[in-house]
Amino acid sequence: MVPDLEASKSALTEIAGYRWTATMSAELPIRLPDGERVLTLRFAYSLDAPYVELVQEIPGTPWTAAPKSATHHLGYFCDDVPTTAERLQAAGFVLEACAVIDGAPSIFAYLLDPSGVRIEIVDRARMPDFSAYLRSKTPH
């Protein structure tokens, strides 16, 4: 999570040589602890490993940049977001936010464990070949 997406892309390019996908955005219905609302998420992925996802912060949501914390979450692909979220919750994680389609968690979910480790699970079907997905989002 970063306060200025484009500035962060530029800084990481200058410092570490990263190349980036185009900045993308998605307006999605999101379930948060205080209810559901539609949010516009803006993000970009690095084309170079180790892969980095930069997301424009949205104050008052889990998408808020934490001062002096470089890592917001760890991302994992899964085959079934609702079932994986349920298993993680049974293991002590708290569902922090998720996209919602037809009333159920879908596309992605953020979960937080008691020690403060946040993970994001993402529906693998949306990006079955992550490298190809990144190449398709590269500015030409």
Side-chain angles (χ1 to χ4, degrees):
M1 299 307 125
V2 295
D4 185 329
L5 182 59
E6 298 307 322
S8 295
K9 285 170 67 174
S10 294
L12 285 170
T13 295
E14 186 175 318
I15 293 165
Y18 274 110
R19 297 169 302 136
W20 300 95
T21 63
T23 296
M24 297 171 268
S25 68
E27 188 173 274
L28 296 168
I30 304 293
R31 180 176 296 149
L32 298 166
D34 61 352
E36 287 185 23
R37 58 190 203 203
V38 175
L39 297 176
T40 301
L41 303 173
R42 292 184 64 245
F43 53 95
Y45 295 100
S46 70
L47 298 171
D48 308 292
Y51 295 111
V52 175
E53 176 189 36
L54 295 178
V55 180
Q56 178 69 46
E57 77 173 340
I58 304 172
T61 73
W63 294 276
T64 301
K68 300 184 184 201
S69 178
T71 302
H72 179 268
H73 66 273
L74 302 172
Y76 299 92
F77 290 108
C78 69
D79 295 318
D80 184 338
V81 170
T83 300
T84 303
E86 287 175 13
R87 282 200 320 251
L88 289 167
Q89 289 175 87
F93 282 77
V94 174
L95 180 64
E96 196 174 27
C98 64
V100 179
I101 295 177
D102 297 329
S106 181
I107 305 171
F108 70 88
Y110 283 84
L111 296 105
L112 190 63
D113 86 348
S115 70
V117 174
R118 178 182 287 117
I119 67 166
E120 177 186 18
I121 53 174
V122 177
D123 182 356
R124 184 184 330 270
R126 298 190 68 82
M127 297 180 225
D129 182 338
F130 190 60
S131 295
Y133 173 82
L134 293 176
R135 287 190 305 274
S136 76
K137 302 299 180 184
T138 303
H140 299 290

